[in-house]
Amino acid sequence: MRDGSLVLRLGHDEVQAVIRSAIGRVDVPVLVDGRQCALVRHHSPNSDAALKHGCTTELLRPKTSPEATAEAGPKPTPKATGRGRDRSRRQVQALVRGQAKPPYRPSAPAAPRIKVDRLSTNAYRRVRRELDRVQDALNLPVPEVVAIDSSSRKGQLAEHEKRRESLRDRQAFLRAVLDQAVPDPSFTGGARITPGCLVGVEDEDGITVYEIALLPGKEGEKLSPYSALGEALMWREVGDEVGYVSGSGQQRSVTVRFIED
């Protein structure tokens, strides 16, 4: 809906194809009576198409007339029968094939931006230990899914895959840190927030010591690097006032008071 008006009408088969594409993260043909009449293309969450439109699925339909793309949605066409129906289906299939782009091939992800070339010995050790914990988590088998129906099962599997995707992203980042930064016994850090350090953050409730890690140890409070505060704090310096938007949508700010190795 847009401003109370219908933007596009979707058939049941199209809706089902969109759902399957989103869950399975693959292109899914729209089949009617065993024949393809449209295509749902899946885009990687970090692709230009997904970021531009705010979604990972795209429904490709053959354009048969200007009315089929009007904002009020396509008008129903008379039902064809016999030889005319077969000819219409062949025309639709040809149009779909002509519109469909080659299968999406994600480009190699950009190398993570690492802003330091050395870490304190303790910070380097924490990064190494977190990488080991992430690898152990990725090696775990798929958990048993207990669901009351297929929809619930697919939802749980999708959440599991989303979690694994976060682990893989974190794994790549930590490996990049270890490849670029070297442990330096003479380096005490304490000026800039880096992977593996402990950071003292002050808000209205006082000072909290965090370890910014997806799978942290037990030396500080857990703060996910993918949280709003975790992203805002990384690479900041002592004394910085850091603003961020909380999960409830409130604007908040904290001050970096100290950094421990």
Side-chain angles (χ1 to χ4, degrees):
M1 305 295 290
R2 181 183 300 158
D3 297 330
S5 301
L6 190 65
V7 176
L8 184 68
R9 293 189 180 95
L10 296 182
H12 177 76
D13 298 297
E14 292 173 323
V15 173
Q16 292 297 316
V18 169
I19 293 174
R20 290 197 299 272
S21 176
I23 293 176
R25 303 184 181 186
V26 294
D27 295 349
V28 175
V30 179
L31 303 178
V32 177
D33 296 331
R35 298 177 180 270
Q36 181 175 343
C37 62
L39 176 71
V40 178
R41 183 167 300 285
H42 180 268
H43 300 284
S44 168
N46 296 321
S47 66
D48 293 339
L51 295 175
K52 178 180 179 182
H53 300 293
C55 60
T56 59
T57 55
E58 177 184 12
L59 174 62
L60 300 176
R61 281 174 167 174
K63 291 184 178 180
T64 56
S65 69
E67 294 157 347
T69 57
E71 289 223 325
K75 295 180 179 179
T77 55
K79 185 176 180 181
T81 59
R83 184 177 300 174
R85 178 169 53 195
D86 293 338
R87 182 168 57 252
S88 297
R89 285 175 174 170
R90 288 195 297 270
Q91 292 172 346
V92 168
Q93 291 171 0
L95 286 169
V96 169
R97 287 194 295 269
Q99 276 192 322
K101 298 179 289 186
Y104 175 73
R105 295 290 185 268
S107 57
R113 186 181 179 188
I114 310 301
K115 299 184 179 181
V116 291
D117 56 8
R118 59 178 179 159
L119 294 173
S120 70
T121 303
N122 288 335
Y124 191 92
R125 171 180 54 80
R126 292 190 191 98
V127 172
R128 168 57 65 185
R129 289 182 176 178
E130 183 188 358
L131 179 58
D132 291 340
R133 288 191 289 269
V134 169
Q135 185 61 61
D136 289 342
L138 286 171
N139 290 337
L140 293 175
V142 177
E144 182 180 357
V145 176
V146 179
I148 59 175
D149 53 33
S150 60
S151 177
S152 176
R153 176 181 175 81
K154 290 178 180 179
Q156 292 183 52
L157 290 175
E159 284 297 319
H160 175 71
E161 181 56 32
K162 182 179 179 181
R163 171 67 172 171
R164 288 184 60 83
E165 185 174 344
S166 297
L167 289 168
R168 288 191 290 265
D169 288 344
R170 187 62 177 173
Q171 180 187 53
F173 175 76
L174 295 175
R175 283 177 174 170
V177 170
L178 295 177
D179 287 343
Q180 177 171 316
V182 298
D184 186 347
S186 66
F187 182 61
T188 59
R192 171 180 286 185
I193 298 174
T194 65
C197 73
L198 301 178
V199 54
V201 174
E202 184 177 19
D203 58 14
E204 62 272 15
D205 297 323
I207 296 179
T208 303
V209 178
Y210 289 111
E211 181 181 355
I212 305 175
L214 190 61
L215 297 176
K218 300 180 180 179
E219 298 179 73
E221 293 289 333
K222 174 184 176 180
L223 181 60
S224 170
Y226 300 126
S227 66
L229 179 56
E231 290 182 347
L233 285 174
M234 187 55 66
W235 312 118
R236 303 302 291 267
E237 299 180 355
V238 171
D240 284 353
E241 185 172 341
V242 181
Y244 69 101
V245 178
S246 68
S248 60
Q250 295 181 331
Q251 186 70 39
R252 298 181 180 275
S253 66
V254 297
T255 303
V256 180
R257 289 304 182 195
F258 59 86
I259 299 172
E260 296 181 0
D261 288 332

